[in-house]
Amino acid sequence: MIPLKELDGEEDNKHMTEKNWALLNGLALAYVGDAIYETYIRDYLVEQGYTKPSQLHKTATHFVSAKAQSFLMHEMLAEEDFLTEEEVTMYKRGRNSKSYTSAKNADITTYRVATGFESLMGYLHLAKRTERMEELIQWCIKKVEATKDDKR
């Protein structure tokens, strides 16, 4: 159960409280973030004219694989003042979570950084920070498109 955060100090007023998503387990945030980010990427690819399932899947991996997400997260962290302190905290919550599964095609460090990336996306989505989440996703799309031919 997600703790509630009081908005106006009145404990009995259910309409004036919201869930405090910042307290949610990093893996739960990543679970949501994985689905949200992949949905945006799928929408983008179809909008770009990709229609064949094999083509969609192959192209999507450039954006949604653990390797791609790890690359994007490192790029975000490298840009000065790009992420807020709270966003970095949500990334670290996912990255530092103890997962009992691992990626099929990535080492543990890459997998953990990718989990942090998904955790950040999940947090922004659940906290209804859609504009910021979409800003980051558009940045990711541009970054991947600019480096698609590179060997990562």
Side-chain angles (χ1 to χ4, degrees), residues 53-134:
S54 62
Q55 185 185 43
L56 284 163
H57 178 73
K58 183 179 180 197
T59 308
T61 60
H62 291 288
F63 296 88
V64 301
S65 69
K67 190 175 178 181
Q69 291 176 348
S70 177
F71 165 76
L72 291 166
M73 196 69 234
H74 284 296
E75 292 291 307
M76 281 189 230
L77 292 167
E79 277 198 38
E80 194 171 335
D81 298 325
F82 185 68
L83 296 174
T84 67
E85 187 176 320
E86 179 183 40
E87 291 167 348
V88 171
T89 298
M90 292 300 103
Y91 153 69
K92 287 179 179 178
R93 174 160 304 171
R95 181 198 64 190
N96 295 339
S97 295
K98 300 294 182 233
S99 176
Y100 298 100
T101 61
S102 62
K104 296 173 215 126
N105 301 309
D107 62 80
I108 190 66
T109 303
T110 301
Y111 183 69
R112 285 199 170 170
V113 172
T115 301
F117 173 90
E118 292 171 345
S119 181
L120 170 59
M121 294 299 161
Y123 170 72
L124 292 172
H125 171 73
L126 291 169
K128 306 287 188 258
R129 297 195 182 152
T130 307
E131 189 175 319
R132 177 60 174 160
M133 180 187 69
E134 289 178 350

Side-chain angles (χ1 to χ4, degrees), residues 5-69:
K5 176 170 57 175
E6 293 179 31
L7 297 180
D8 67 353
E10 296 180 24
E11 292 179 34
D12 296 330
N13 190 344
K14 291 182 182 179
H15 299 290
M16 297 305 288
T17 60
E18 67 180 31
K19 293 188 178 185
N20 190 353
W21 300 110
L23 299 177
L24 190 60
N25 173 311
L27 295 178
L29 291 172
Y31 175 77
V32 172
D34 176 49
I36 290 301
Y37 181 67
E38 185 157 352
T39 298
Y40 273 86
I41 296 305
R42 288 179 179 204
D43 288 350
Y44 170 75
L45 294 177
V46 171
E47 289 168 4
Q48 297 304 303
Y50 293 96
T51 57
K52 295 179 183 176
S54 62
Q55 185 185 43
L56 284 163
H57 178 73
K58 183 179 180 197
T59 308
T61 60
H62 291 288
F63 296 88
V64 301
S65 69
K67 190 175 178 181
Q69 291 176 348

